[in-house]
Amino acid sequence: MTNLTRSILASLSLTLAAGAAQAQSASPTAPPASATPPTQSQPSQQPQPADPAMAARCTSTAKSMIGALDRGDMTAATKSFDPKLHEKLPDDKLKEGWASLGQKFGQRSGFGQTQSQQINDVTVVLLPMTYQRGKVGAQVACNDKGAVLALQIGQIAPPNTSTSPGMTPKAPSGG
């Protein structure tokens, strides 16, 4: 994923992150940089482009879940949760965490362009969201059956004002 993924989170200390961390232990993660290269007996856990159908399915699940959270419908929000995630992130903690997100950032006004990647049989989508007082990202990990294995929510850092090599800054508009 891009800088958007790397800039997501210094986790909002929502209880969402605590439950997601526990659930992620069931899903593969990328090996540390010092790990030995994978051999034929050791499958690669490096991120790969996501299968388009799996990415679309996970994105749809994430958007439905977020819409249900916005409405306060915890039953609908958690219907795709893997049982281990739901155990670690029960409805009351999820509701409390989502309410604190609204208190901090206001009402959600839309979604940005989703990014996705595949790590073994886990599809991870990053769903940027625009709120009244900032941008927030949801990182959702889904298994090959479409169950949500992990949910992580965090603020997206404002764009860096410095320019990357080869990029031309936009001239200010207006006057």
Side-chain angles (χ1 to χ4, degrees):
M1 289 198 184
T2 66
N3 288 338
L4 183 59
T5 304
R6 285 189 289 277
S7 67
I8 232 182
L9 213 30
S11 209
L12 284 177
S13 66
L14 295 175
T15 32
L16 301 176
Q22 291 295 326
Q24 282 179 329
S25 66
S27 65
T29 57
S34 62
T36 57
T39 63
Q40 285 190 311
S41 62
Q42 179 185 7
S44 172
Q45 294 184 343
Q46 294 297 317
Q48 302 294 321
D51 172 81
M54 295 296 291
R57 182 178 186 182
C58 192
T59 299
S60 176
T61 298
K63 286 182 175 181
S64 293
M65 174 183 59
I66 290 165
L69 287 167
D70 287 345
R71 294 187 310 274
D73 185 349
M74 297 302 113
T75 302
T78 59
K79 75 178 181 179
S80 295
F81 274 23
D82 176 81
K84 288 180 183 178
L85 176 59
H86 203 202
E87 180 181 313
K88 300 293 181 184
L89 188 57
D91 291 1
D92 59 334
K93 288 186 179 184
L94 181 61
K95 187 173 188 170
E96 179 184 324
W98 200 257
S100 71
L101 181 73
Q103 290 169 358
K104 181 170 182 155
F105 293 100
Q107 187 174 351
R108 184 177 57 81
S109 60
F111 293 109
Q113 184 174 348
T114 304
Q115 298 175 40
S116 62
Q117 67 182 5
Q118 191 83 25
I119 303 174
N120 292 340
D121 62 345
V122 176
T123 302
V124 180
V125 297
L126 172 62
L127 185 58
M129 301 176 287
T130 302
Y131 282 79
Q132 291 170 318
R133 295 186 294 274
K135 294 188 183 280
V136 176
Q139 218 171 354
V140 181
C142 301
N143 67 15
D144 58 352
K145 294 179 176 82
V148 175
L149 301 175
L151 167 63
Q152 195 169 27
I153 306 292
Q155 183 172 9
I156 297 174
N160 189 348
T161 55
S162 66
T163 309
S164 299
M167 298 293 288
T168 306
K170 285 187 173 181
S173 60

